[in-house]
Amino acid sequence: ITRNQLDTVQLRVAVLGYTLEIHDSVAEFLAKRGYSRAYGARPLQRTVEAELLVPVSQLAPGSYSVRAGASALEFSPAV
């Protein structure tokens, strides 16, 4: 489910001029934060928006590498 959400995000931001290289650690990070015992994976979309889409919207269009840090996602220019 998380990988499907990330694939959708990549397509959405590509139209806006962003290229995201999303590492596997990001999927794990978002899956852990977006899962609830009570609601399952329902909160995942909101987590993806808050943790990934909002920070991307604050960056200039371009290519970025996204990795999971200890408590947040880290964005760096892709080489």
Side-chain angles (χ1 to χ4, degrees), residues 10 19-23 26 63-67 74 76 78-79:
Q10 285 182 309
T19 303
L20 300 179
E21 181 183 319
I22 300 176
H23 295 270
V26 173
S63 295
Y64 296 93
S65 176
V66 185
R67 296 181 185 272
E74 300 171 353
S76 58
V79 202

Side-chain angles (χ1 to χ4, degrees), residues 2-78:
T2 305
R3 184 41 69 186
N4 288 341
Q5 290 283 324
L6 293 176
D7 291 344
T8 301
V9 165
Q10 285 182 309
L11 292 173
R12 285 176 59 188
V13 299
V15 172
L16 302 173
Y18 296 90
T19 303
L20 300 179
E21 181 183 319
I22 300 176
H23 295 270
D24 291 336
S25 62
V26 173
E28 293 174 28
F29 177 86
L30 292 172
K32 286 179 185 173
R33 288 201 161 201
Y35 176 79
S36 162
R37 293 189 126 215
Y39 300 107
R42 290 184 197 145
L44 181 61
Q45 186 170 359
R46 269 178 277 164
T47 303
V48 169
E49 287 179 16
E51 299 286 342
L52 184 61
L53 285 176
V54 170
V56 165
S57 71
Q58 297 171 358
L59 299 171
S63 295
Y64 296 93
S65 176
V66 185
R67 296 181 185 272
S71 62
L73 297 181
E74 300 171 353
F75 298 83
S76 58

